[in-house]
Amino acid sequence: MLPDRFQALLPQRLDMLRRATGLPVVFGGAVTPGRDLLLSSFQGTHGTSLHGLRIGAGRGLGGTAIAMGTAVRVNDYATTKAITHEFDQMVVVDERLTSVFAYPVTVRGTVRGVLYGAVRGQATVGDRAIRMAGAIAQGFAQDLDMPSIHMQAALRELAEVTKLVGDPVLRERLRKVHQNLGGETPVSVPSGLTPRELDTLRLAAVGASNREIAAELGLSTETVKAYLRGAMRKLGVHNRTAAVHAARSTGAL
């Protein structure tokens, strides 16, 4: 189900990536159960040679990102020695891409897909684009993980109901159901954080300045500061770094 959900959400996330970074080419795909990356959604490409391309872990740029579990960037795809080159015909010859990055979307320690950004000619992908891609990838991962978060909320509710049951036989049966569904390790999500407060924290987490956050979210810098102050107050901390850490430790980021 997760690859299908990834595919459904991917076009919107690529649109966000293109608008946030200004890059002329973005594309991506989901990781299959066999750990291959299947490219499926594209913006700014010239042709269709990349469409449906299957990339194994450790192969090319995307496969390297999957194997390493982290973003990988090359300034000149054709000449870099950091990756394998079996996809040069499609990337370099057909699409004429030069500087390219691949950013993995990781859910609970497993790479579920990869987002790419690229340019043509002499320009190179900058650090700001990588930070923005990181924020979008983190938000994407959280959206993919929402069913698990909802399940944990249901498990917490089941645990509370179990405590109220007077019949010891029924109570034990409910306890076993709770345990079999994974209720021994509930996820705690902080209450009261608004979607915009979470958006600002995601961008702050990858080093974006208040001005960059404002530009990405279409807000003023004063509004961004207000959202960060609100998040800090709700999380009981006094600076943005601590707020990011607190949100991550509770599963919100």
Side-chain angles (χ1 to χ4, degrees):
M1 286 298 293
L2 190 53
D4 292 339
R5 180 167 170 77
F6 188 101
Q7 300 286 21
L9 295 173
L10 180 59
Q12 182 201 31
R13 296 315 189 275
L14 289 177
D15 186 59
M16 290 173 59
L17 179 62
R18 194 176 188 184
R19 288 187 290 106
T21 62
L23 294 174
V25 182
V26 295
F27 55 97
V31 174
T32 69
R35 283 201 83 210
D36 286 344
L37 172 65
L38 184 62
L39 298 184
S40 62
S41 191
F42 309 84
Q43 293 187 23
T45 50
H46 286 329
T48 61
S49 62
L50 290 173
H51 292 208
L53 185 65
R54 188 176 290 269
I55 301 168
R59 315 309 297 173
L61 192 66
T64 300
I66 293 172
M68 295 177 61
T70 188
V72 181
R73 171 177 51 182
V74 295
N75 288 333
D76 187 353
Y77 191 102
T79 62
T80 182
K81 296 181 180 179
I83 61 172
T84 63
H85 285 278
E86 56 264 60
F87 308 115
D88 281 11
Q89 175 64 42
M90 293 78 92
V91 176
V92 179
V93 178
D94 296 343
E95 289 296 334
R96 302 199 301 277
L97 303 181
T98 50
S99 182
V100 189
F101 73 81
Y103 209 112
V105 178
T106 304
V107 179
R108 295 176 179 262
T110 300
V111 177
R112 298 300 186 182
V114 177
L115 305 178
Y116 290 81
V119 297
R120 301 181 176 95
Q122 299 301 310
T124 58
V125 174
D127 292 340
R128 179 182 178 278
I130 300 296
R131 289 201 303 271
M132 293 301 165
I136 291 168
Q138 287 180 13
F140 196 174
Q142 185 178 31
D143 288 341
L144 292 170
D145 199 32
M146 282 304 292
S148 297
I149 292 173
H150 291 319
M151 173 62 80
Q152 294 297 343
L155 286 170
R156 289 194 294 273
E157 181 68 16
L158 177 59
E160 292 301 316
V161 170
T162 300
K163 294 176 185 178
L164 301 175
V165 173
D167 185 333
V169 176
L170 180 56
R171 186 169 60 245
E172 178 60 17
R173 289 178 65 183
L174 289 173
R175 188 195 66 78
K176 287 183 178 179
V177 169
H178 181 266
Q179 184 177 24
N180 289 339
L181 290 173
E184 294 302 310
T185 54
V187 174
S188 175
V189 179
S191 61
L193 284 177
T194 68
R196 276 307 198 194
E197 287 169 346
L198 286 169
D199 288 340
T200 58
L201 286 176
R202 287 192 196 107
L203 289 165
V206 294
S209 66
N210 288 347
R211 182 176 296 178
E212 289 171 336
I213 295 172
E216 164 64 13
L217 299 180
L219 305 170
S220 70
T221 55
E222 291 304 314
T223 301
V224 168
K225 292 176 183 177
Y227 282 134
L228 288 172
R229 286 196 298 269
M232 287 185 281
R233 183 178 66 255
K234 292 172 183 178
L235 293 167
V237 296
H238 301 291
N239 61 64
R240 60 195 284 159
T241 301
V244 168
H245 177 74
R248 279 177 171 164
S249 68
T250 53
L253 294 182

